[in-house]
Amino acid sequence: MNCFKIAGPRTIAEALAFAAEAGDNAIYISGGTDWLVNGAKKVAGGLLIDLTQVEELTYIEERADHLVMGAGVTFSRIATNPLVWEKARCLAQAAAQIGSTQIRNRATIGGNVANAAPAADGVPPLMALDAEVLAIKGEIRRWVPMGEAVSDLCGGLMPGTLFAAFRVPLLLNSVSAFVKLGSRSTVSVAKLNLAARIQTTEDGRSRNVRLAMGAAAANAFRVTAVEKLWEGRSCEEALAEELAGGLVTQVDRLLAGRASLPYKREAIRGLAYDLVLDIGRAVEDGGRGNGRKA
Amino acid sequence: MLLEFVVNGEAKAVPIEPDEKLLTVLRNKLGLTGAKEGCGEGECGACTVIMDGQAVNSCLVLAYQARGKEIITIEGVSQDGQLDELQRSFVHNGAVQCGYCTPGMIMSAKALLLRNPKPTDAEIRTAISGNLCRCTGYVNIIRAVREVAENLGEGSI
Amino acid sequence: MDEKLKYVGARLPLHDAAAKVIGRIRYTGDLGFPGMLHAKLVFSPFPHARIARLDISRALAVPGVVAVFSHLNTPSIAYNSQVWFAGQETVEDERLFSSTVRYVGDRVAAVVAQTLVAAEVAAKLVDVEYELLPAVIAAQDAASFAEKQLQVGDVEVGFSMSRLIVEDVVETPKIHHAAMENHVCIAVPDPNGKITVYAPCQIIVSVRLIVAKVLGLALNKVRIVQAAVGGSFGGKQEVILEPLCAYMAKVTDRPVKVELDRAASITSTRTRTRTIGKVRTGVDEKGHIMAREVDLLVDTGAYTSNGIVISMAMGKKLFRLYRIPNQSYRARIVRTNTTVAGACRGYGSPQIHAVTEINLDHVARKLDMDPVELRLKNLVHPHDCDLTGGPSLGNVGIIECLRLGAAEFNWTAKRALEKGTGRFRRGSGMACAVHGNGYFGSPYPDFTSMTLRMLEDGGLLLTAGLHELGCGTITTMRQIIAEVMEVDPETIEAPDGDTQTSPFDSGCQASRTTFVCGACAMKAAESLKALLRQEASIILNCNPDQVLIKDGEVWSGIGTGQHYPYAAMACLIQQKNERELIVTETYKSQANPGSYGANFVEVEVDTFTGMVRVTEVVAVYDLGKAINPMLVEGQIHGAVQMGIGMAICEEITFDPATGRAKQEGFAKYHLINAPDMPPVKVLLIEKGEEHGPFGAKSIGEVAIVPTAAAVVNAINHALDTNLTVLPLTPERVLAGLHPAQFSGVAK
């Protein structure tokens, strides 16, 4: 009583060929840790294209001005990769806090973004890092900024688009951090998450600030109003308090009328502090985002 | 379709359906009932097996995704009918009560020790963060893994 | 207790730990029988509805489906899943299937098929039309159908003598037992009209009674075999799947397996009973409790189950921990259209202690008195009377628990620490607890019979209604017998209960296993030893009192130097005396002392996010004697995990509009996991108890009783609050800190 067929391409080209042949009734699956739980999305009578054995999707490397990784890289690998910790710290931090060890060994960065859960922990870091995703559909290959990628997931880009890779621009003197509030300290879906990236000036102030918030709307988004508060400031408690105020305004707007509003508008303050103090510490460590390894 | 993979060191070829999970193939088609379904959604870890050296929830792996992989289940841990060091440590440290979480717990601990023979307590807890136990409160489990980590000689895993 | 014990008190591993670590133990879900069919249940999506139409034709048409059952083709014999002895008076309102469903998750139909997949497909094709009926979800909205009361003295007089009266309303939630093994059952018919049921249960005689009743079979035609249990904690104590499974096997004349998934285990079996407790305590200026009044609302869910029984059990505990001259208890029991409540570790004690220990801490704060000091002024002393006329409290050791625990925890220093006004606040709290040891003193029969044999090779075989839940029952019995018979516990076989061969046992409930069953095992071993002496004296040609038994050998004490290992003597007795070395003892419980304990807990609360971290637990218990300290500690560690969960994260709540549980899996129903489990220091007070085997009392349930209250007390200390609605989730913590922000939001 199988409700779908399954194919196991070995290359991106093969994957695209399977997709082209199957038309609209095909979906890509990676680690499957989201999709297999939400069984409602079964592809009845269609084709499941299993990407887990496509080697081309599993690299992590530095290329010129970018850190590039295949969409099939698991969160375990991201969470333990020295290059990611050094150049894209908030992504490594997020990876280390997704699910459990077993989940991290299967869940991939591409799957996390494509699944587009509002609380997806991989999205705010990518947004804060100004990342782009290599989206391939048929003959089209395009690097799509994260903001557009996630909003398109709610609309036009899917179905049929393969996320092949992510690239993060490497900036001088940049530091990033990710924080998450779950129902418990580990192995929990986020109630709220935040990621931020700054570049530091010589006197330790922040510039070129990116701040992304997840779990509060249909997708994560850049909180530009609060980024403005952060510009030019140094990372200390006073800033945290102000950012908290700015984020509360966002939460009030997004969760108006929701039962979770009273809690989240209070708790976001904790995240704001965690975020600012963590980035502050990283700045002191030499502005290189020396984080713990998972 | 035929799933070809290696389980506990033996090559296997098992007919499978596309939507079948690795867990049910192990239990129902290979008779390896050590791995359990406790929740079916990757939260309890009772189904944990080692796949290509990593702990995974076999309830969240499609059988087809295990093609060409090397799987180790709890049945593959003891050698020649002898408990290995980790298993012995679980036994004499009181890390086993009802035993239902035990196969998954041991596989998670094993996967950790294969990769990191001298884990810290925090690393042990992280390795089993996805393995729920309702009987032991984890106290003796962590003790059992720590004891093996402290005693580990060269190449004994 | 001065004897040098060899096996009792030893830290032996569980008897089947080795088999468990290699994954070879077969639980019911791992078993199969030739021709076995698989059943899938259909559950009600509505909290209260009449089934207007039920059409199974589409389901039956699925290839591989053998039968579909519903209220239309099953007996409508009413029973109560909690009943465990014949003639037990209760409300019988459960059936295999009802034509009226009473909660989301109530049983509507069952599909039986050759494969599980076919059954799952067909289950979705059972067509049901419901006529919705009004549903009551919140306990406060329900009318009570029964009441239980207990009183001592005159509370009004007591309150009039009180300098301070403190009142609280404490709420405890429905909790999922969360055994890692879901509910499961296999029934196998045989051609002689007998049914065998394999189930991970807690009272085989209860299963037999209800299966026989529903199927209309004689008791000796129903065989219940206790299977390996993957955890129960009371969740598998009521008889839930077995009657249906047995009936389906009987009708299809094939073995049938019913296995629930996690969602169904959470919503369609049993939960811990929810309570809302109003408590009023009056103390004099010195802190002596003059009066206490407890008014409890007890939500037993959609069917009566153990709602009335547990209400009495909870009330009794109020009179066995403190010296309170005037006390009254009233429990009003209600049914709601929610998941049925049933036995759950501690059987009401964790709930009633949450109500009263949180309130006592409130009293301490108002009195500006140290909570430990307040307890010490009021705790019961050894051999105090139960003022309700209940059994003697026995050799009470709660005061020792408190003193030892406070010292180990560094209570005074920790309490004196500056809490400050920072984001992270530390706090310390404690709570005391009492629980029971069986049913003596209640209307329920508490006895067991055991047969103990020595076989020709000197090995021993115990036949009894044992229920190993993974906590160490079998190992404990072996250690007790081993001590008396002076043999290695490994040479004793003590299999799980089987109604075909096991004599009557009142079951693994009410914390009676070590205290009553263990005492019977000890008595049986002593009888066997006496019989061995008796028979050996014939072989040795001396008087029985001249036979020496030492280190597994039988010696003639009259100087002939004859000695035989047990095996050799057993053979001689068999051959020459033509006797088997077999004894059967029936042991009736003689007493019901309290098992006592105290937990000391330190927490750190993040006042920005409301997240609570338990950083340290010291758990001290007065259990008479630890037959196996390693297994005792294991039980305490696990109980603390459960208690912390009850305090800060575990609850099953129901949507008031739909009646659906909001937590249908472990993604939403969070247990304390390894990273969140604090270090637990266990200390034991072992000063013996008269009727316990080697002085032992129960530990498995008392272990959880003080924990939730201690954690809540620690949180209230950290935050200077009086939060009383469990669990103290981050939301409730922040609501407690910022009440104005949270007003108008449903709790």
Side-chain angles (χ1 to χ4, degrees):
Chain A
M1 316 221 178
N2 51 304
C3 38
F4 52 80
K5 294 198 187 53
I6 192 163
R10 304 222 56 118
T11 64
I12 294 177
E14 275 179 26
L16 294 169
F18 278 123
E21 200 184 313
D24 273 346
N25 209 5
I27 73 166
Y28 295 110
I29 186 174
S30 195
T33 55
D34 276 320
W35 190 85
L36 287 172
V37 175
N38 304 317
K41 294 193 206 148
K42 277 201 169 31
V43 196
L47 178 68
L48 204 62
I49 304 171
D50 172 35
L51 300 174
T52 57
Q53 301 199 16
V54 178
E55 282 289 317
E56 294 174 287
L57 295 174
T58 62
Y59 61 92
I60 302 177
E61 38 188 68
E62 195 176 335
R63 292 178 191 166
D65 305 322
H66 287 90
L67 174 67
V68 197
M69 65 180 71
V73 176
T74 64
F75 285 115
S76 286
R77 285 189 52 220
I78 294 172
T80 53
N81 186 283
L83 202 55
V84 182
W85 276 102
E86 196 190 323
K87 313 278 183 179
R89 180 170 178 271
C90 63
L91 187 60
Q93 286 177 308
Q97 294 180 66
I98 288 175
S100 62
T101 301
Q102 292 96 316
I103 298 291
R104 290 191 286 277
N105 285 338
R106 294 292 293 166
T108 63
I109 182 79
N112 189 256
V113 173
N115 184 64
D121 290 316
V123 180
L126 289 169
M127 246 176 212
L129 293 167
D130 279 333
E132 294 168 307
V133 56
L134 180 60
I136 307 178
K137 185 167 183 173
E139 296 299 313
I140 306 169
R141 295 172 76 95
R142 192 160 74 86
W143 285 102
V144 178
M146 280 308 297
E148 194 189 318
V150 297
S151 64
D152 278 343
L153 282 168
C154 289
L157 210 58
M158 293 287 280
T161 302
L162 172 66
F163 282 175
F166 294 87
R167 71 178 181 191
V168 169
L170 299 176
L171 305 177
L172 285 177
N173 301 320
S174 76
V175 187
S176 66
F178 168 86
V179 292
K180 165 179 175 175
L181 179 68
S183 308
R184 61 183 170 195
S185 71
T186 57
V187 196
S188 172
V189 171
K191 289 175 174 169
L192 288 167
N193 51 25
L194 292 172
R197 187 222 60 209
I198 62 171
Q199 283 180 283
T200 50
T201 61
E202 266 190 25
D203 57 350
R205 292 174 181 281
S206 319
R207 62 176 200 87
N208 206 10
V209 176
R210 300 284 182 270
L211 174 66
M213 174 156 78
N219 298 300
F221 64 99
R222 267 183 55 193
V223 200
T224 47
V226 182
E227 287 173 356
K228 291 188 172 77
L229 293 175
W230 198 330
E231 279 292 330
R233 305 284 299 274
S234 38
C235 298
E236 352 160 281
E237 269 200 33
L239 174 66
E241 195 57 49
E242 268 188 56
L243 295 185
L247 288 166
V248 168
T249 308
Q250 296 295 316
V251 169
D252 280 344
R253 174 178 67 86
L254 294 162
L255 300 179
R258 300 275 205 90
S260 60
L261 173 62
Y263 173 71
K264 292 190 180 181
R265 71 188 307 277
E266 289 294 333
I268 190 88
R269 188 158 167 251
L271 275 194
Y273 269 73
D274 288 342
L275 185 64
V276 168
L277 295 176
D278 189 61
I279 281 201
R281 273 192 298 272
V283 168
E284 275 172 30
D285 283 348
R288 290 176 91 235
N290 290 334
R292 309 176 322 277
K293 295 208 186 158
Chain B
M1 54 206 312
L2 204 64
L3 168 64
E4 286 174 281
F5 62 154
V6 176
V7 181
N8 296 331
E10 286 180 25
K12 301 281 179 194
V14 182
I16 58 165
E17 299 297 323
D19 62 348
E20 223 171 321
K21 306 285 173 60
L22 175 60
L23 175 64
T24 49
V25 167
L26 292 171
R27 287 178 54 81
N28 300 346
K29 297 193 171 165
L30 294 177
L32 298 167
T33 57
K36 311 291 183 208
E37 176 166 320
C39 73
E41 51 176 22
E43 292 283 342
C44 75
C47 66
T48 306
V49 299
I50 295 178
M51 187 161 84
D52 279 5
Q54 297 196 303
V56 298
N57 292 316
S58 61
C59 75
L60 289 188
V61 176
L62 285 171
Y64 179 73
Q65 291 181 308
R67 63 197 183 282
K69 301 280 187 190
E70 284 194 35
I71 311 289
I72 310 175
T73 71
I74 187 69
E75 292 89 348
V77 171
S78 47
Q79 301 293 326
D80 306 313
Q82 299 294 320
L83 302 190
D84 88 338
E85 204 175 337
L86 185 59
Q87 290 167 315
R88 286 200 308 275
S89 187
F90 263 60
V91 170
H92 71 246
N93 276 300
V96 182
Q97 289 187 39
C98 85
Y100 206 76
C101 80
T102 303
M105 194 70 76
I106 288 179
M107 298 324 288
S108 282
K110 192 114 187 105
L112 170 70
L113 294 169
L114 280 169
R115 167 170 64 77
N116 178 1
K118 297 273 178 195
T120 61
D121 257 29
E123 285 167 334
I124 295 172
R125 286 169 187 268
T126 298
I128 61 171
S129 63
N131 292 81
L132 297 178
C133 175
R134 197 53 149 171
C135 293
T136 69
Y138 316 99
V139 177
N140 288 345
I141 291 172
I142 294 165
R143 179 177 296 140
V145 179
R146 187 192 305 133
E147 188 179 286
V148 173
E150 280 164 4
N151 294 342
L152 219 49
E154 293 301 305
S156 41
I157 279 282
Chain C
M1 299 295 112
D2 283 334
E3 325 99 78
K4 195 83 177 85
L5 298 170
K6 193 165 173 191
Y7 301 110
V8 167
R11 303 176 69 89
L12 303 181
L14 218 53
H15 78 286
D16 57 359
K20 284 168 175 168
V21 296
I22 60 175
R24 292 280 300 276
I25 287 277
R26 290 178 94 84
Y27 303 84
T28 310
D30 303 324
L31 299 176
F33 291 82
M36 187 172 79
L37 302 174
H38 300 262
K40 185 78 181 167
L41 302 189
V42 178
F43 299 110
S44 167
F46 299 112
H48 195 201
R50 206 177 64 78
I51 296 178
R53 193 178 69 85
L54 199 153
D55 186 339
I56 62 173
S57 52
R58 284 201 303 150
L60 271 177
V62 172
V65 169
V66 168
V68 182
F69 297 91
S70 72
H71 74 277
L72 295 171
N73 59 357
T74 55
S76 65
I77 294 169
Y79 60 93
N80 181 307
S81 55
Q82 182 265 332
V83 166
W84 57 274
F85 65 93
Q88 185 183 340
E89 274 188 39
T90 184
V91 175
E92 295 183 322
D93 53 7
E94 298 170 68
R95 292 171 172 75
L96 292 184
F97 299 100
S98 237
S99 54
T100 300
V101 290
R102 291 189 163 77
Y103 68 102
V104 175
D106 202 351
R107 293 205 290 244
V108 170
V111 176
V112 179
Q114 315 268 16
T115 65
L116 185 58
V117 173
E120 283 168 348
V121 169
K124 298 195 179 106
L125 297 176
V126 174
D127 295 314
V128 190
E129 231 175 73
Y130 297 94
E131 271 171 24
L132 301 189
L133 297 167
V136 176
I137 306 299
Q140 297 94 320
D141 297 338
S144 91
F145 69 94
E147 247 192 48
K148 280 290 171 192
Q149 293 189 14
L150 276 174
Q151 41 236 345
V152 151
D154 184 331
V155 284
E156 288 318 314
V157 169
F159 283 128
S160 71
M161 300 196 302
S162 303
R163 200 205 77 177
L164 172 72
I165 298 174
V166 178
E167 187 171 312
D168 284 295
V169 178
V170 179
E171 293 188 32
T172 70
K174 281 184 188 278
I175 285 194
H176 174 48
H177 306 74
M180 285 304 115
E181 178 198 36
N182 287 306
H183 282 68
V184 59
C185 181
I186 296 179
V188 183
D190 88 355
N192 296 309
K194 200 157 136 183
I195 282 272
T196 302
V197 178
Y198 298 87
C201 57
Q202 288 190 217
I203 312 173
I204 50 177
V205 296
S206 178
V207 181
R208 179 175 68 180
L209 207 56
I210 298 176
V211 169
K213 177 181 174 131
V214 173
L215 270 57
L217 292 174
L219 291 174
N220 59 10
K221 292 291 197 192
V222 176
R223 178 183 176 197
I224 310 300
V225 179
Q226 212 237 359
V229 180
S232 175
F233 315 105
K236 295 166 180 153
Q237 181 172 320
E238 271 88 29
V239 181
I240 302 165
L241 292 179
E242 297 89 338
L244 176 61
C245 189
Y247 183 77
M248 297 194 295
K250 180 159 165 266
V251 168
T252 59
D253 199 26
R254 300 269 290 275
V256 173
K257 178 193 270 189
V258 184
E259 194 168 5
L260 299 187
D261 63 14
R262 181 58 56 179
S265 284
I266 294 176
T267 60
S268 298
T269 63
R270 297 288 179 272
T271 72
R272 183 184 286 286
T273 312
R274 170 162 161 71
T275 66
I276 299 171
K278 194 156 71 150
V279 53
R280 216 167 142 234
T281 301
V283 291
D284 69 11
E285 64 282 349
K286 293 221 183 75
H288 297 115
I289 304 172
M290 305 307 295
R292 186 163 73 183
E293 189 174 59
V294 176
D295 197 317
L296 211 61
L297 188 62
V298 179
D299 179 359
T300 195
Y303 296 98
T304 305
S305 178
N306 73 337
I308 300 171
V309 179
I310 198 176
S311 296
M312 201 55 181
M314 283 192 279
K316 289 183 180 180
K317 304 302 188 296
L318 291 171
F319 299 83
R320 296 174 70 83
L321 183 58
Y322 298 104
R323 290 172 154 178
I324 302 178
N326 307 290
Q327 183 166 207
S328 88
Y329 168 78
R330 180 175 77 132
R332 288 172 298 125
I333 305 134
V334 300
R335 287 190 208 97
T336 56
N337 296 109
T338 64
T339 305
V340 186
C344 182
R345 194 177 198 172
Y347 212 80
S349 289
Q351 294 97 304
I352 197 72
H353 282 79
V355 172
T356 51
E357 288 296 295
I358 291 171
N359 169 254
L360 265 185
D361 251 41
H362 192 186
V363 171
R365 280 197 295 280
K366 286 251 152 75
L367 273 178
D368 200 19
M369 182 182 284
D370 180 284
V372 169
E373 200 192 322
L374 177 62
R375 294 335 192 267
L376 287 171
K377 286 192 189 291
N378 291 283
L379 283 168
V380 288
H381 290 227
H383 309 291
D384 265 7
C385 286
D386 176 337
L387 294 178
T388 65
S392 163
L393 303 181
N395 196 9
V396 179
I398 182 61
I399 289 175
E400 290 94 320
C401 287
L402 213 54
R403 292 198 198 283
L404 185 64
E408 177 70 31
F409 184 77
N410 235 337
W411 168 258
T412 311
K414 282 199 163 75
R415 289 282 290 199
L417 286 174
E418 253 321 303
K419 283 180 276 188
T421 50
R423 174 179 174 181
F424 295 96
R425 314 256 175 95
R426 290 233 163 180
S428 301
M430 54 77 56
C432 294
V434 63
H435 198 64
N437 280 271
Y439 278 124
F440 177 83
S442 81
Y444 307 122
D446 191 344
F447 69 97
T448 189
S449 297
M450 294 185 174
T451 298
L452 185 60
R453 267 175 279 204
M454 180 180 292
L455 307 180
E456 297 94 311
D457 60 357
L460 302 183
L461 179 59
L462 179 74
T463 311
L466 295 179
H467 301 82
E468 174 63 68
L469 307 184
C471 43
T473 297
I474 289 176
T475 309
T476 298
M477 298 302 143
R478 283 174 158 191
Q479 284 177 257
I480 289 170
I481 294 169
E483 191 69 54
V484 174
M485 292 299 298
E486 300 177 62
V487 294
D488 187 327
E490 289 292 309
T491 65
I492 303 169
E493 186 64 11
D496 285 300
D498 176 339
T499 60
Q500 185 145 271
T501 46
S502 304
F504 182 90
D505 173 73
S506 298
C508 180
Q509 55 171 331
S511 285
R512 56 181 293 283
T513 303
T514 299
F515 191 68
V516 181
C517 300
C520 186
M522 192 168 172
K523 185 175 173 195
E526 281 158 358
S527 287
L528 186 67
K529 205 170 186 180
L531 180 64
L532 177 60
R533 259 204 205 90
Q534 169 74 30
E535 292 300 314
S537 71
I538 298 169
I539 304 291
L540 296 170
N541 205 19
C542 62
N543 291 326
D545 57 12
Q546 291 168 316
V547 174
L548 287 170
I549 291 182
K550 212 163 55 101
D551 302 328
E553 298 235 336
V554 185
W555 294 72
S556 166
I558 54 170
T560 64
Q562 281 179 289
H563 64 103
Y564 301 84
Y566 283 170
M569 180 53 71
C571 286
L572 284 169
I573 290 168
Q574 184 185 73
Q575 192 188 14
K576 299 241 162 17
N577 298 359
E578 293 181 276
R579 277 291 309 249
E580 183 179 11
L581 289 165
I582 181 169
V583 297
T584 297
E585 287 293 344
T586 296
Y587 180 80
K588 207 165 64 162
S589 180
Q590 305 287 299
N592 194 346
S595 284
Y596 292 85
N599 279 184
F600 292 79
V601 174
E602 188 189 45
V603 301
E604 183 186 77
V605 185
D606 179 348
T607 59
F608 286 10
T609 63
M611 301 273 284
V612 173
R613 204 164 63 91
V614 179
T615 54
E616 186 187 347
V617 176
V618 171
V620 196
Y621 297 91
D622 152 43
L623 77 165
K625 172 79 186 166
I627 304 287
N628 184 321
M630 185 164 78
L631 301 185
V632 165
E633 288 161 12
Q635 282 291 289
I636 293 166
H637 297 152
V640 168
Q641 187 260 13
M642 241 185 217
I644 295 174
M646 181 174 165
I648 65 173
C649 57
E650 292 187 45
E651 61 178 346
I652 306 173
T653 56
F654 296 83
D655 184 307
T658 64
R660 275 192 80 150
K662 295 184 186 174
Q663 302 81 5
E664 287 181 341
F666 287 136
K668 289 254 170 68
Y669 190 92
H670 278 172
L671 306 184
I672 300 296
N673 57 20
D676 282 344
M677 187 68 190
V680 181
K681 173 82 188 188
V682 172
L683 297 164
L684 304 177
I685 301 291
E686 297 181 82
K687 49 179 203 162
E689 180 57 60
E690 188 188 344
H691 295 285
F694 296 96
K697 298 190 284 194
S698 70
I699 183 64
E701 291 193 274
V702 69
I704 193 192
V705 179
T707 309
V711 174
V712 171
N713 286 342
I715 294 169
N716 280 328
H717 177 240
L719 304 178
D720 291 319
T721 48
N722 189 48
L723 304 178
T724 60
V725 176
L726 276 62
L728 293 187
T729 58
E731 284 81 356
R732 290 200 180 101
V733 170
L734 286 195
L737 288 173
H738 309 285
Q741 310 292 338
F742 284 76
S743 61
V745 176
K747 288 189 291 184

